[in-house]
Amino acid sequence: MKTRRIFLQKASLSAMALAVPTFNPLSAMTDIMNTHSKDPKTLRVAIMGLGSYGTRVAEAIQKCTRTKLVGVISGTPSKVEDWKVKYNIPAKNCYNYENFDAIKDNPDIDAVYVITPNALHKDQVIRVAKAGKHAISEKPMAVNAADGQAMVDACNAAGVQLLIGYRMHFEPNTLEVIRMRKAGEFGDIRFFQGLCGFVIGDPNQWRLNPELSGGGAMMDIGIYAINGSRYMIGEEPTWVTAQETKTNPEKFKEGIDETITFQLGFPSGVIASCLSTYNMNNLDRFYLNGSKGWVEMHPSTGYGPIKGRTDKGPLDEPIVTHQTVQMDEMAAIIFDGKKPEVPVNGEEGVKDMKIIDAIFKAVKTGEKVQLNLS
Ligand code: NAD
């Protein structure tokens, strides 16, 4: 209850907040005018990539209070026709992968949400930035840290925001655990365990093609354990060790990791021990242990409901549609300069990419790889 109140209070406070984004004076002026007005400004989004997750996001946006799906970018004309009818999208807001740079002349679209295969995010986000639109990129933001940084740089140069689709950063039970940890309710944090995986099906899908995915389970699902270790522990790791096992080299070819166990070391001495796999089902568990208590979340990062308990009792925060809350919170971040409890900006994405780069290096060399996330 306590957190529900805080969550709602925060949501309404954010609408009143008068924070000024520093990156773009022109849009900052518009945003200030907007936050003065009674109705918070609506984020008008075009989705790029009308696949399975794009569809989930589109459905979730229908329940948003300040985000609207207004456009699409797709290579499949039949999908565009379906979405036009289903979501009442005007023809002038429909683009394909060749012509979407023309979105720069469309005043009815504020942001593009890139929900395509991982390796395409970089060029697509850079083109969105050059078109002067805010970019939201799905995780992983890119296939390595250098590409992620290039995306951050392009968005900064264009004066637009770059946000990463880290939906867990807005999930009420996750936020309650972070609140408890910050309040010292678990004492000094000593250990985190993150287990993330599922058995992947069709061997011909893009997720198993390194040119489109940039890697296997780690890029897709292991990233939740990486990102989760950081927000659950509340520190940035300084080193990583990692080990890979592959039981099916035919399905999981060179460049596609099947199962990786990895360990992250944090400045205070906390250790995270994690597993990322495409070869085990129902693997979605976080466990955090401190000198005064513990929390266990299972499921911890799936679409929900997120469930868990602490040594003090069950986690019972409201069940929400993650992507609905995420998109409305992103509207507040973009237009009101709201600072989320856990960042979702491009820099946050680059940190995870640096850790993934280091994990792959540790697998290859067998060495402990130092990290510099500052
Ligand atoms: P998907 O295969 O269902 O959809 C991908 C879409 O990209 C399709 O519409 C496809 O037509 C399009 N596409 C454009 N160019 C393509 C190309 N060259 N090859 C293949 N497809 C191409 O995949 P998805 O599950 O929707 O995943 C898309 C992105 O969303 C990935 O980056 C993934 O990691 C991310 N994702 C995030 C979450 C989350 O919970 N945040 C969940 C699922 C997927």
Side-chain angles (χ1 to χ4, degrees), residues 48-57 73-76 79 97 113-121 124 137-141 165-168 205-207 209 212-213 219-221 223-224 278 301-303 322-323 326:
M48 181 186 299
L50 314 183
S52 103
Y53 196 63
T55 302
R56 185 177 285 274
V57 171
I73 298 133
S74 169
T76 314
K79 280 192 204 165
Y97 292 109
Y113 195 159
V114 175
I115 316 185
T116 54
N118 311 338
L120 308 181
H121 298 172
Q124 289 167 342
S137 169
E138 249 322 306
K139 47 56 56 180
M141 72 182 297
Y166 288 128
R167 61 187 161 77
M168 299 316 298
Q205 61 186 291
W206 68 260
R207 282 182 163 80
N209 172 357
L212 285 170
S213 61
M219 287 284 177
D220 195 19
I221 191 83
I223 192 169
Y224 286 97
Y278 266 160
T301 66
Y303 297 136
H322 297 177
Q323 298 82 1
Q326 171 200 326

Side-chain angles (χ1 to χ4, degrees), residues 360-369:
F360 287 158
K361 188 174 172 192
V363 163
K364 221 177 197 164
T365 61
E367 285 169 7
K368 185 179 201 177
V369 176

